[in-house]
Amino acid sequence: MIVTDVRHKLLIFTQETGISKQEISKELGYHYNHFSAIMSGKYGLSDRFYGEVEKLFRRTGYIKALDNKGRL
């Protein structure tokens, strides 16, 4: 199954790695409440958010969430 939605990729990431959503929000540079609102769909996804998630996946070696060009 190919997952293309960044929110879904982050949920799978938390399940597979055991990293909490609080830790992810801190790593991405977002307050947890804002991050939670983004994840629930209350706010749209910005270019900054996509970029920070890509960096997080690269830093943690979670390359299966990236395409062959290293992008979400």
Side-chain angles (χ1 to χ4, degrees), residues 22-59:
Q22 289 86 356
E23 291 172 286
I24 291 173
S25 67
K26 185 177 178 181
E27 283 285 326
L28 298 178
Y30 288 88
H31 290 282
Y32 178 72
N33 289 341
H34 188 87
F35 175 76
S36 182
I38 292 170
M39 292 299 288
S40 69
K42 185 174 181 180
Y43 300 125
L45 301 173
S46 66
D47 289 340
R48 175 183 172 244
F49 188 81
Y50 278 105
E52 293 300 327
V53 171
E54 282 181 7
K55 290 180 202 172
L56 172 68
F57 288 162
R58 286 190 199 108
R59 275 194 313 269

